[in-house]
Amino acid sequence: MDWTHVMAELDAHLSDEKIGRDVETFFEEVGRRLELDDGEVSFPPETLVHVEERMLVRNPEVRGGGYLLVKAVLKPLFEDGKYTGRSRLGTLKIMYDFEGRWLDEFYSRPS
């Protein structure tokens, strides 16, 4: 099966720019900080967002039959212009419905 068309539609529906705007809106809504069990993390204005992955998840138990999952790296570290796989602020995984509406988020601290 050729998934090229499906992936192109996914990229068009959830562009890096849209995801960046959505993350910025999320930061503003939480006062640019999250309280976690072991403290708090702050997100400075204009935090760089690097979209590392976009996933299409089929789940018949979810309304619409699935969701879109995006892994966004916050303040990514680059070396020689290439993403190193590390970040200063961790990752934000975002669930979207199939119409591109934000459903939920999951924050992970940098390792």
Side-chain angles (χ1 to χ4, degrees):
M1 176 176 231
D2 182 10
W3 287 88
T4 306
H5 178 71
V6 173
M7 299 316 289
E9 286 291 318
L10 178 56
D11 286 344
H13 208 63
L14 282 178
S15 68
D16 289 1
E17 293 78 19
K18 179 191 178 346
I19 294 165
R21 288 190 307 270
D22 287 351
V23 170
E24 186 60 31
T25 299
F26 170 73
F27 288 160
E28 290 171 6
E29 288 175 357
V30 298
R32 305 205 75 79
R33 60 184 160 65
L34 288 176
E35 292 185 27
L36 305 171
D37 291 341
D38 58 347
E40 181 179 281
V41 62
S42 296
F43 305 101
E46 300 182 20
T47 297
L48 182 62
V49 175
H50 173 71
V51 177
E52 185 175 38
E53 294 179 308
R54 288 179 187 82
M55 292 170 262
L56 180 60
V57 179
R58 171 85 174 97
N59 183 340
E61 304 211 2
V62 175
R63 185 174 153 235
Y67 56 90
L68 308 170
L69 186 65
V70 174
K71 181 179 177 185
V73 179
L74 309 173
K75 283 191 88 174
L77 297 170
F78 289 90
E79 196 170 285
D80 297 325
K82 294 182 182 178
Y83 172 56
T84 63
R86 298 175 310 167
S87 75
R88 290 189 180 102
L89 283 178
T91 60
L92 188 65
K93 290 183 181 173
I94 308 160
M95 284 178 60
Y96 289 92
D97 67 14
F98 283 156
E99 294 177 1
R101 290 184 299 247
W102 186 294
L103 295 176
D104 205 353
E105 72 283 331
F106 312 92
Y107 174 75
S108 301
R109 287 185 182 260
S111 49

